[in-house]
Structure formats: C-alpha cells, structure tokens
Amino acid sequence: MSIARLFPRAARLSGDGPWLFQATGRRNPPRRSLPGGRSGDRVPDLCAWKRSRDLQGESPAYDGLTAARLPSSPRGYWGRFVLLYLCGVLAATGLGKLAPVSVDVRAALGLSLDQMSLLISSITAVAALFGVPVSRLIGRMVLRWALLGGCAVMAAAGLLQSRADGFGPMLGMRLVESVGYVAVVVAAPAVIIAMDAGPRRVVALAAWGTYFPVGLAVGSFAGGLLSSWLGWRVWLAAESGALLAIGAAAALALGRPGPGDGTPAQGDGEGPASRGAGARRLLGPLLLAAGFATASGTIVAVVSLFPAYLHEELGVPTATAGTMTGLVSLAGIAGGFLSGWLLRRGVPVRHLFTASLLMPLGAALAFLQSGGVALSAFGALLVALANELVVAAAFATIPAVVSASRDVSLANGLLAQIGSAGSLVGPPLVGSAVLLAGGWWAVGPTVLAVCAVGTVLLRASVRRAG
C-alpha cells in the first residue's frame, strides 16, 4: 500500500510521494517485521516522521511562523530569496542615499553641516532604540505583510523627503523611514528562515548578511550618478519607487503557494513557567547580538576614519580617499559569500567567528603610519572581508540560537537594535582612543580589545546552542 493512500493529506501537501521522509534523507520508510518473521508493507516510521516535522517546521513550535511549508523547486526558492535580498539592499540604500547628495541638499534647504550629519544618521535611531519592540510587533503579523508594510513606509517617507523644504520635515520623514527600515530587516530574514530548514537556508542567510554594504554601495554610486543627471529630488523619488515595486513583488511571490507565506507566530504558551524561562531562552540571541554589535561597530569605525587618515597622513586627495573606501567596502562583500560557501561545506561556525580577530590585524595595517597607501588599502580590505565573514555567519546562526519559532523575529530585532547601537558607539570610541593616544596607531589596539570581546560572545552563543 502506498504512502499516498495511507496518508492522502500528506500527499496533497507535498505534491510528491514520501514527503514524511525528506528531512531524514530516506526516500522510503523502513520495513517492519510482522509476527512470524514475515515482512509486511512499508509503513511510516513515526519517529522519523516526528524528526521530519521538527526539521521542516511542521512541529507545533513552528506552525506559528509558516502557514504551510510546501516543497519548492530550487528556481522558486532562489527567486523568492532574490526578491527578499533586493528588499534589504534597497532598504540599506535608504540609509546611504543622502550622503552622495549632501552638498546639493544643504544648498537647497539651507542646512548646516551638523544638521546634514543628523539627517544621514537619524534613520538608525529607531533600530538602535526600538528594534526589539518593533520586532515583537512584527512577530504578531503575517510576515509578508510586515515586509510589504516596511517597504511601503520607507517608500512613502522617501517620496515626502523628495518634496521637503526644510530641516524639520526632512528629519521627521527620516525618522518615519527608520520604522520601515526596522520592519524590512526584521521580517525579511524571518521569511528566509521560514522558507526552508535545509542547507540552502544556511547559504541564503549568509548571503543576506551582505545586504547592508551592498545597499550602501548602491546608494553611493547610483545616488551620485542619478543626482548629477536628474537632481537630488528625482534620485530620492526614484529610490523610493524602486523599493515599493520590489516590496510588492516580494509580497506577491510569497503570497503564492510555497514556502515562506508566513502567518503570525502563535507562541508556545506564555504561562508563568515560560515567562520565568524567558531570560534563559533569550540568552543565546543576546550573546549573538552583542557579538554582532562589536563587528558592526568595528567596520563602521574603520570606514568612517579611513578617508581622513588617507588624506591627513598619506596625502591622498579627499575624493580619491572616499572612492577607495567605497571600493574596499564593496569588495568586502566577498567575505559574506565565502562564509556561506564554508558553512555549506561543514566548517563549524565557531571557526568563522574566530575570523573576527583578523579585523584588528587589518586595522593595524590600515592605520600603520609608516606604511604606504597600498599597505593601508590591503589592511582596510582585510577588515572588510573579515567583518562580512563574521556578519554573514551571525545571520546564518540565528536559527540555531533560538529555542522557539516565536523568538525568530525577536532575535532579528536584537541583532538590528544592538547592532545599530554598536554602529553608533564604534566611531566615537575609536576616535576618542586616537585623540587620547595622540596618533592613528591606537586604532589597532582599540579594535583588538573590542573584537576579542566580540569573539568570546559569538562563540559563547554557539556553544550554548549546542
């Protein structure tokens, strides 16, 4: 008797025969001996079925995250992932879209330098202060609608920024835009986690970890190019329109039958016992987020200080120094894809986290005052590569450090909030060390202290997850 006849509902859900045994790697269930030594029909191994449900997300703990986890072809899976990735890239583009047009915006709106700096950095305010509360709200929503809502909020705020006529309206819209940014960067990886539980999820999450530098690079290059042709207002409107279109396409793709059409997490119970265990349950995500913050703070500090160092110490023209820094950041993306490739081949994630200790070495070379431009560029590139390697590994580790499906969005929110806080603290911390020491040589030891703590935290998060 076939599995399809025994379990018609499972056959309808899967679309192919032995759905129950896909996660175990066995195409057919084991034979069981009937009394008298006769070999009977193949019947389902309930233990294997339970393991399959747990791995593929059909267990009660995962039912809240996905309405139905249906098998998908590689083309369908990666097509959905590309749309999610583009949502993240364009959201990150929103962070850096004002930097290349800052001169034009200041002239048009009559802004001072400190006002312009506040506009550029204000989009991280909500992420740094309210990432966790926003993530908890998103955890109660259908994920694809949370993603589309975040893209729509960012797009609407961006369109209003293109029509702003002063500092107040522009700042208000940047703060609104930051709410949408948190929604996108929390919902998108949660959808990726919901789409699959196999090896391709590791690769997808590692690739997702590169969205931020790619978005910043797109904002810098595309913003400078389009604004020179069409003006800064058209650039802001065009970026907003592209984000809204990609968000709508992603929501439409996720709304079709297939993985990732998420429903709000229902949780596993919120009784006194579960509330009492909440701190222990979130210890792993907290350790991961704290370690992630050291990596994000380091790269932002190095990228912020590197152009000034090149200009002041090595005599590199300001424009050239900025271009070099942008190219180094963009080249660091290769580290994220390398991380996914290594994880896919079974390299333990704790080994990848140890690579964060390469960042102090790179920082020491980049700010070695007796070195030349080539050595400094190599050092900065080493920092960028090691950072993306660690960041990608951190995103890929999220499913391993959460204890329940309802914590996935919360873990993403912790990474967004604590990581943004690290980005805000990193540059002034390293800059203060340089001023106190009276030389650029202090960058290396400061980064070493930060990354040593970060390595311990990251490895501890994995060790606790077993």
Side-chain angles (χ1 to χ4, degrees), residues 27 71 96 161 193 218 222 247 325 328 387 403 416 418 431-432 444 465:
R27 294 293 297 173
Q161 288 171 41
I193 291 171
V218 169
T325 304
V328 163
N387 176 78
S403 302
I418 301 179
S432 299

Side-chain angles (χ1 to χ4, degrees), residues 98 101-112 115-116 119 161-170 227 230-234 236:
L98 290 182
V101 297
S102 59
V103 175
D104 295 335
V105 174
R106 286 182 61 194
L109 303 184
L111 305 179
S112 62
Q115 286 178 322
M116 192 69 230
L119 288 179
Q161 288 171 41
S162 70
R163 308 306 302 168
D165 56 1
F167 173 72
M170 181 70 84
S227 63
L230 304 173
W232 67 272
R233 294 186 185 274
V234 175
L236 296 185

Side-chain angles (χ1 to χ4, degrees), residues 56-98:
Q56 292 211 8
E58 296 293 325
S59 65
Y62 225 90
D63 285 344
L65 188 58
T66 55
R69 184 178 304 277
L70 309 179
S72 65
S73 66
R75 179 180 299 178
Y77 177 89
W78 291 113
R80 288 180 171 94
F81 170 76
V82 168
L83 290 173
L84 293 169
Y85 183 74
L86 289 177
C87 287
V89 167
L90 289 174
T93 300
L95 270 72
K97 65 183 179 183
L98 290 182

Side-chain angles (χ1 to χ4, degrees), residues 87-95 123-128 134 138 147 149-151 153-155 174-188 208 211-212 216 243 395 416 420:
C87 287
V89 167
L90 289 174
T93 300
L95 270 72
I123 196 171
T124 62
V126 170
V134 172
I138 290 173
L147 178 69
C151 292
V153 169
M154 289 194 73
R174 287 292 278 180
L175 293 175
V176 171
E177 191 175 18
S178 65
V179 177
Y181 172 76
V182 175
V184 172
V185 301
V186 169
W208 166 260
Y211 81 92
F212 190 78
L216 292 182
L243 177 57
F395 277 104
S420 296

Side-chain angles (χ1 to χ4, degrees), residues 1 6 29-44:
M1 184 179 295
L6 280 173
R31 288 184 181 270
R32 288 188 179 177
S33 298
L34 297 177
R38 294 181 294 108
S39 179
D41 289 339
R42 296 182 185 271
V43 296

